[in-house]
Amino acid sequence: MKFFNGRKILILKLLLLSFIIISAQEKKPVVPQFKPPEWTKNVVMYEVNVRQYTPEGTFEAFEEHLPRLKKMGVDILWFMPIHPIGEKNRKGSLGSYYSIKDYKAINPEFGTEEDFKHLVNKAHEMGFHVMLDWVANHTAWDNVWTETHPEFFSKNEKGEFYPPVPDWHDVIDLDFSNKELWNYMIDAMKYWVSEFDVDGFRCDYANGVPIEFWTAARKELEKVKPLFMLAEAAEPEMHIAHDMTYNWQLKDIMNKIAAGELNAAALTNHILTEKKEYPKEGYRLNFTTNHDENSWSGTVFERLGESAEMFSVLTTTIHGMPLFYSGQEAGLNKRLRFFEKDTIDWSNLVFEDLFTKLCELKEKNKAIWSGLYGGEVILIENDNPENIFSFYREKDGYRLIAFFNASPKDQEFSFKSENLAGSYNNYFTSEEVTLNTDDTLTLKPWEYIILVNK
């Protein structure tokens, strides 16, 4: 009997030790080291593909679109890389924007330094903020540093440069174990902040570079002016140095729901997981398309079909910042060629009204502002969770209630709304709606309802 008790105590001690070890191994919550500028709290980001935006493909030609974009409600203009493109081993006849030949120069196809300064100044005068796409992980084979600082690059056993990924044969890997590289890279980033007054960076392949570098860069750049930093990465740890990460998880879920591989329950699970893993003050970048998705995975209509509009509304109303891509407001229905000229057709701005309404909602409704500026996403229980995704958000007296039919069929559902009962305005139809304590609604395929109280 004593042996049994001793054995039992030993087992309990081992279990306790295991629990302590597992608890110690659990990731600590990410604590961001920087705060996003206040101007980011209620804005929409717009990705600018200069090459394909106009027949000319120049800064000067794009500048003519600023009044239209301002009227639509866009605030942040994220420019895909504007630097000279490498010629050695380039892909296609024009090459990839992401094959950087000189970090401190302008792609002559787009214009001159003065042209870009004029564009940035004009954008600032009109109330826009400007972000540059920054490619820190790799450069072109003929980047100026290959001659002046070959020690900045990774090399194989033969002492040869090589790509970071086999398919990226037009670029070569930078070696961030070399701390002198950090100084040169930060100096190049600071150049665009100091000389051109840009407001932030979208950091390409951000998890391909040590987080310690991004932290060091951010500290130096903040000495010039407060910046907004977007990591092209989804890991929560990136929020240590960046204000916003890519919501690739949401993008994948939307694609799979449209394909019939997942249902609305996946959206609910995503929200719950996101709350657990990401800092509340961190932003997520929500999108249905961007340059990568459009060129390599298909247009929004190829991937999302009839659900494309609904998911654009979803990406604007949940936690995070919405992104719209060049041509999206014109119903861009072709995969833009990445290494060749392929001008966007602006003849029919079929979705401009929708995006204008979404930008206005993001700007004025505090419930859906970003990070800690907005309200938490609170899920609304309904009796059809496989097809209906429902939530509400509220902040400082502002309330937004959302219902989405994430299915290609009519769906009826009931929900409890004891604390949501009252009168609202259907944001997209302007109809007055009264919610009772126990309501039943029917939504058509891919239909959505957005209710607001102000």
Side-chain angles (χ1 to χ4, degrees):
M1 189 67 179
K2 289 182 179 179
F3 172 77
F4 175 77
N5 287 338
R7 184 180 180 186
K8 192 173 183 180
I9 292 172
L10 178 61
I11 291 173
L12 289 174
K13 286 183 176 179
L14 289 173
L15 287 173
L16 179 60
L17 180 61
S18 297
F19 175 78
I20 293 172
I21 292 173
I22 291 172
S23 298
Q25 290 176 340
E26 287 181 355
K27 291 183 178 180
K28 295 180 180 180
V30 174
V31 179
Q33 293 189 21
F34 306 91
K35 291 183 179 180
E38 188 176 357
W39 58 261
T40 64
K41 65 188 179 185
N42 60 341
V43 300
V44 170
M45 182 177 288
Y46 187 92
E47 182 182 5
V48 182
N49 187 332
V50 176
R51 176 189 291 168
Q52 317 299 20
Y53 214 90
T54 63
E56 301 87 349
T58 62
F59 297 133
E60 185 177 7
F62 169 74
E63 195 172 308
E64 297 178 8
H65 285 259
L66 289 179
R68 177 182 65 79
L69 293 172
K70 185 63 180 178
K71 185 177 179 181
M72 195 167 82
V74 169
D75 181 89
I76 300 178
L77 299 172
W78 150 27
F79 286 87
M80 294 173 68
I82 62 171
H83 312 293
I85 295 170
E87 297 174 28
K88 183 178 180 180
N89 297 330
R90 72 162 40 177
K91 293 184 177 183
S93 63
L94 297 179
S96 168
Y97 297 112
Y98 296 86
S99 177
I100 309 299
K101 191 173 182 179
D102 187 343
Y103 284 108
K104 286 189 175 182
I106 292 281
N107 185 345
E109 298 169 26
F110 295 167
T112 65
E113 287 189 1
E114 289 306 313
D115 291 335
F116 186 62
K117 282 185 177 179
H118 188 276
L119 171 56
V120 173
N121 291 337
K122 183 66 175 178
H124 283 164
E125 289 172 7
M126 297 178 67
F128 292 101
H129 292 85
V130 176
M131 293 180 66
L132 287 188
D133 211 323
W134 196 260
V135 188
N137 172 263
H138 50 266
T139 75
W141 285 83
D142 46 0
N143 182 279
V144 293
W145 287 348
T146 60
E147 295 292 335
T148 60
H149 292 281
E151 70 276 10
F152 287 174
F153 296 87
S154 302
K155 300 180 183 66
N156 61 21
E157 302 80 15
K158 298 180 181 179
E160 302 167 330
F161 303 142
Y162 61 85
V165 178
D167 183 56
W168 299 359
H169 57 76
D170 58 335
V171 295
I172 49 177
D173 193 63
L174 283 166
D175 179 10
F176 273 81
S177 68
N178 187 325
K179 292 299 180 70
E180 188 63 15
L181 167 61
W182 291 29
N183 296 330
Y184 274 72
M185 187 67 74
I186 292 171
D187 176 70
M189 296 177 78
K190 188 179 290 187
Y191 170 75
W192 295 97
V193 180
S194 301
E195 299 298 321
F196 294 83
D197 199 25
V198 300
D199 303 295
F201 295 93
R202 178 265 186 188
C203 303
D204 181 72
Y205 190 19
N207 55 353
V209 175
I211 188 67
E212 293 80 8
F213 165 78
W214 293 121
T215 302
R218 184 78 182 265
K219 287 178 179 178
E220 284 301 310
L221 295 170
E222 292 277 332
K223 293 177 182 178
V224 182
K225 65 183 286 190
L227 295 179
F228 186 59
M229 301 287 282
L230 163 63
E232 191 209 7
E235 291 84 356
E237 293 75 17
M238 300 308 295
H239 284 277
I240 293 173
H242 299 81
D243 304 299
M244 186 158 66
T245 55
Y246 265 51
N247 205 336
W248 276 319
Q249 303 98 319
L250 177 63
K251 179 265 298 182
D252 291 339
I253 289 170
M254 293 188 294
N255 285 344
K256 289 180 179 180
I257 288 176
E261 299 171 13
L262 290 177
N263 59 34
L267 293 169
T268 297
N269 292 334
H270 173 65
I271 294 298
L272 295 174
T273 300
E274 196 172 57
K275 286 184 179 183
K276 181 180 178 181
E277 296 182 353
Y278 289 82
K280 290 184 177 180
E281 57 267 56
Y283 300 1
R284 306 303 311 283
L285 182 70
N286 304 320
F287 53 91
T288 58
T289 190
N290 56 37
H291 67 272
D292 281 322
E293 293 305 309
N294 170 266
S295 293
W296 309 119
S297 300
T299 70
V300 290
F301 306 108
E302 285 181 80
R303 292 179 290 106
L304 301 177
E306 295 298 320
S307 69
E309 179 178 325
M310 182 199 74
F311 281 128
S312 289
V313 177
L314 174 67
T315 58
T316 305
T317 52
I318 61 170
H319 177 76
M321 183 185 294
L323 168 74
F324 303 136
Y325 179 48
S326 297
Q328 205 172 346
E329 67 270 41
L332 180 63
N333 200 14
K334 68 174 178 177
R335 301 188 186 196
L336 295 175
R337 288 179 292 174
F338 209 81
F339 311 116
E340 308 293 343
K341 179 66 177 169
D342 195 6
T343 307
I344 296 168
D345 179 4
W346 295 105
S347 62
N348 183 15
L349 301 176
V350 61
F351 289 110
E352 187 175 59
D353 288 345
L354 171 66
F355 292 133
T356 299
K357 289 283 285 183
L358 292 176
C359 289
E360 182 181 28
L361 182 64
K362 183 69 176 181
E363 176 191 2
K364 296 182 178 180
N365 195 306
K366 289 185 178 181
I368 64 167
W369 285 4
S370 300
L372 295 177
Y373 295 107
E376 184 181 357
V377 175
I378 307 297
L379 298 170
I380 300 174
E381 291 188 20
N382 68 73
D383 63 355
N384 190 357
E386 294 81 12
N387 299 298
I388 301 297
F389 177 60
S390 52
F391 67 87
Y392 73 94
R393 301 179 66 184
E394 54 187 2
K395 183 80 172 185
D396 295 340
Y398 286 81
R399 178 180 289 170
L400 178 142
I401 303 173
F403 300 102
F404 296 92
N405 178 5
S407 83
K409 297 180 180 180
D410 289 355
Q411 298 293 339
E412 183 178 273
F413 64 99
S414 298
F415 62 96
K416 299 288 184 179
S417 61
E418 287 86 351
N419 61 324
L420 300 179
S423 298
Y424 298 90
N425 180 264
N426 185 316
Y427 182 73
F428 288 98
T429 67
S430 298
E431 296 175 334
E432 290 296 322
V433 176
T434 299
L435 286 186
N436 298 309
T437 56
D438 193 351
D439 277 329
T440 298
L441 298 175
T442 299
L443 292 179
K444 297 176 182 178
W446 309 118
E447 188 179 9
Y448 54 89
I449 297 175
I450 303 297
L451 304 178
V452 294
N453 65 341
K454 290 186 180 184

